């Protein structure tokens, strides 16, 4: 049981906009910055969004993050086949005094 | 190029030990906190342990506390994870990850560089 809650799966067709949610609490998302990671099949995770809505260099602006209260969302617009991957949210947790991850969402591009 | 390269994984019997290494290049290693994150087969990401840039502060998940020890040698740009009393449930790919912030202190979940991972299999 992960501290952060994500839907196990999501899907969309090429060109569509999809969102992935991440629900937490006041001890993590409600207080600290939210981060999102993309893990393509067979590869290491990659930082996709940090500080709620910042993109590292090289990440397309099709990817965006937002946060409201104790929940966060990752939005992917103009969905492409290469976006098919697992997506994880993560935040610092002040109760556990450690980083915590969501269980991951498998995105399928139909 | 900023890079992390793990090694040391393998097959070990329950109760055994392994030492993982992660060699860093392309950045000032001592300026950054580092972490180990693992992923069991078909499962999600789990933070295992973290260490400040100086090595003076270490942190562990409850699942490994008392069995695993994180350390670093800044003169060798290398991060370590000594794993003792290994259990079947420790079977996973272990990734080392670099903190985004150059503060050197530990206290976030923003890992901007990840290694390729090293597989640890605990089985009899």
């Amino acid at each position: 049981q992960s501290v952060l809650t994500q839907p196990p799966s999501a899907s969309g067709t090429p060109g569509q906009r999809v969102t992935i949610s991440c629900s937490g609490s006041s001890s993590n998302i409600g207080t600290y910055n939210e981060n999102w990671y993309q893990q393509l099949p067979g590869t290491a995770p990659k930082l996709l969004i940090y500080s709620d809505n910042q993109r590292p260099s090289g990440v397309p602006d099709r990817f965006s993050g937002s946060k409201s209260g104790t929940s966060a969302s990752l939005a992917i617009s103009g969905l492409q086949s290469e976006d098919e991957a697992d997506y994880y949210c993560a935040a610092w947790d002040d109760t556990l005094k450690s980083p915590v991850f969501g269980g991951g969402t498998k995105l399928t591009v139909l | 190029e900023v890079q992390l390269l793990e090694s040391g994984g393998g097959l070990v019997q329950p109760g055994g030990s392994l030492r993982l290494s992660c060699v860093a290049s392309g950045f000032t290693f001592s300026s950054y906190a580092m972490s180990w994150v693992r992923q069991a087969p078909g499962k999600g990401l789990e933070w295992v342990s973290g260490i400040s840039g100086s090595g003076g502060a270490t942190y562990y998940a409850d699942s490994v506390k008392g069995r695993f020890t994180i350390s670093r040698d800044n003169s060798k740009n290398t991060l370590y994870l000594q794993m003792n009393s290994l259990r079947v449930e420790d079977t996973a790919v272990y990734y080392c990850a670099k903190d985004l912030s150059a503060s050197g202190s530990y206290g976030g979940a923003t890992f901007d560089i990840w290694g390729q991972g090293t597989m640890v299999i605990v089985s009899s």
Side-chain angles (χ1 to χ4, degrees):
Chain A
Q1 191 82 359
S2 301
V3 174
L4 304 181
T5 301
Q6 298 180 236
S9 63
S11 64
T13 56
Q16 262 192 333
R17 182 178 187 270
V18 298
T19 61
I20 297 172
S21 62
C22 177
S23 178
S25 68
S26 58
S27 66
N28 42 65
I29 296 177
T31 304
Y32 297 97
N33 290 329
E34 179 70 6
N35 307 278
W36 289 92
Y37 296 90
Q38 177 193 58
Q39 187 175 33
L40 297 170
T43 69
K46 167 191 168 184
L47 181 64
L48 196 65
I49 298 288
Y50 68 98
S51 294
D52 300 337
N53 54 19
Q54 302 299 301
R55 287 184 307 277
S57 173
V59 173
D61 59 7
R62 302 187 295 106
F63 295 90
S64 62
S66 62
K67 187 173 82 171
S68 177
T70 59
S71 293
S73 292
L74 172 70
I76 309 172
S77 60
L79 196 63
Q80 300 180 3
S81 58
E82 57 260 38
D83 298 333
E84 193 160 280
D86 293 324
Y87 292 85
Y88 295 89
C89 58
W92 180 261
D93 189 282
D94 201 43
T95 298
L96 296 174
K97 300 299 184 192
S98 74
V100 290
F101 289 92
T105 298
K106 183 176 184 61
L107 175 65
T108 301
V109 180
L110 302 169
Chain B
E1 181 190 2
V2 178
Q3 197 171 3
L4 299 172
L5 186 63
E6 302 99 334
S7 62
L11 174 64
V12 62
Q13 292 188 335
S17 298
L18 274 179
R19 187 199 201 198
L20 306 184
S21 299
C22 171
V23 178
S25 59
F27 63 99
T28 305
F29 183 63
S30 60
S31 293
Y32 294 87
M34 299 290 295
S35 291
W36 289 98
V37 177
R38 69 184 179 184
Q39 186 171 35
K43 303 296 185 183
L45 302 174
E46 180 190 14
W47 174 81
V48 172
S49 184
I51 187 168
S52 62
S54 67
T58 58
Y59 308 85
Y60 300 93
D62 286 345
S63 57
V64 306
K65 200 172 293 182
R67 300 187 299 121
F68 290 11
T69 302
I70 190 172
S71 62
R72 63 192 297 162
D73 185 336
N74 287 342
S75 68
K76 295 182 178 179
N77 288 350
T78 303
L79 175 72
Y80 302 101
L81 186 68
Q82 177 67 43
M83 305 186 296
N84 298 332
S85 302
L86 281 161
R87 304 168 180 168
V88 171
E89 55 265 35
D90 294 320
T91 294
V93 174
Y94 284 72
Y95 297 100
C96 63
K98 168 188 167 292
D99 198 273
L100 175 69
S101 168
S103 71
S105 60
Y106 199 83
T110 309
F111 310 120
D112 65 334
I113 303 295
W114 295 65
Q116 87 289 349
T118 187
M119 183 75 203
V120 172
I121 300 173
V122 185
S123 174
S124 54

